Amino acid sequence: MKFFIDTANLEQIKEAQALGILDGVTTNPSLMAKEGITGEANIINHYKAICEIVDGDVSAEVIATDFEGMVREGEALASLHPQIVVKLPMIGDGVKACKYFSDKGIKTNVTLVFSAGQALLAAKAGATYVSPFIGRLDDISTDGLNLITEIREIYDNYLFETQILAASVRHTMHIIDCAKIGADVMTGPLSAISGLLKHPLTDIGLEKFLADYKKGN
Ligand code: G3P
């Protein structure tokens, strides 16, 4: 299972990278705005800075909502760095643009996916990644994890190569449940990733080991 961090915060990206478990980064316009990154030139520089920190794929989202605009923006983003994955919204023109980029061998991430049907379309269009938003489904009393299960079943039925990138992951149990279901990738905040480290018995056990060592030395 690949671990992506879902942030545009360079310090958090560095921290996850330093842990040695990071496979990539996902961003979106809201995450960029949260870090105060505005204006095309700053956004482009920020993507380049992220690519310098991590070794894996970095999703960069287009702002255009029409096919021509998405192609124009996506091509510019893809030319920034070989690690850039063009992130496209799950709308008709996004599906068309996904097919366009996949035919050209450019990696894509189809985002804002909330149903199995949308995920099926993304796979048919040759998406590298599909991003079902599990936390936002949970927010409206709909089982986000069930969507991951449905997509896994459909993709396995037809051996689609599109990777299921569980997105809008909010906490550690989302990560563990996605791993049990077989999501290929999860993207979440640093808090959810580092939360996996924690267990009180580990802390108690380590404390005892160190205390016992000190007794004998
Ligand atoms: O990966 C998608 C993500 O950025 C959305 O997360 O927590 O805003 O629903 P959230």
Side-chain angles (χ1 to χ4, degrees):
M1 186 190 202
K2 289 187 209 164
F3 272 30
F4 289 179
I5 190 168
D6 195 30
T7 185
N9 182 293
L10 298 183
E11 291 314 308
Q12 292 185 12
I13 294 170
K14 283 180 195 159
E15 196 176 326
Q17 174 69 19
L19 202 53
I21 49 78
L22 194 64
D23 301 297
V25 177
T26 50
T27 62
N28 62 40
S30 305
L31 293 171
M32 282 286 186
K34 193 174 163 196
E35 299 307 316
I37 314 297
T38 55
E40 205 181 319
N42 291 332
I43 290 173
I44 282 172
N45 285 336
H46 206 71
Y47 284 136
K48 287 185 187 162
I50 294 173
C51 290
E52 292 308 314
I53 299 170
V54 297
D55 299 322
D57 287 346
V58 175
S59 288
E61 189 159 343
V62 300
I63 303 300
T65 54
D66 63 300
F67 174 74
E68 287 78 15
M70 287 186 206
V71 165
R72 203 169 40 247
E73 268 186 55
E75 283 182 337
L77 289 169
S79 72
L80 292 179
H81 199 282
Q83 286 165 239
I84 293 283
V85 174
V86 179
K87 199 171 180 188
L88 302 156
M90 171 38 79
I91 55 176
D93 278 17
V95 173
K96 272 168 71 178
C98 179
K99 176 79 174 103
Y100 171 89
F101 286 117
S102 62
D103 283 349
K104 292 188 89 179
I106 292 174
K107 286 186 178 179
T108 52
N109 176 357
V110 176
T111 189
L112 290 167
V113 166
F114 293 95
S115 75
Q118 290 178 323
L120 183 53
L121 279 177
K124 291 282 294 170
T128 312
Y129 299 105
V130 66
S131 289
F133 277 33
I134 60 178
R136 291 193 192 183
L137 282 170
D138 289 354
D139 287 345
I140 56 159
S141 314
T142 303
D143 187 353
L145 289 167
N146 185 51
L147 176 58
I148 304 295
T149 306
E150 283 186 309
I151 301 171
R152 182 73 284 155
E153 183 181 348
I154 291 168
Y155 283 11
D156 287 351
N157 282 346
Y158 297 98
L159 304 179
F160 281 122
E161 287 177 8
T162 300
Q163 296 178 55
I164 302 172
L165 195 173
S168 185
V169 158
R170 304 271 175 78
H171 49 72
T172 56
M173 283 312 295
H174 271 157
I175 300 178
I176 292 163
D177 286 331
C178 283
K180 283 158 79 175
I181 295 165
D184 301 286
V185 192
M186 81 82 206
T187 190
L190 183 61
S191 58
I193 296 171
S194 48
L196 294 172
L197 274 171
K198 294 178 194 155
H199 200 290
L201 291 179
T202 304
D203 299 337
I204 293 167
L206 183 59
E207 205 177 311
K208 173 118 176 54
F209 284 158
L210 294 178
D212 289 343
Y213 174 81
K214 273 188 196 150
K215 277 185 217 159
N217 290 278

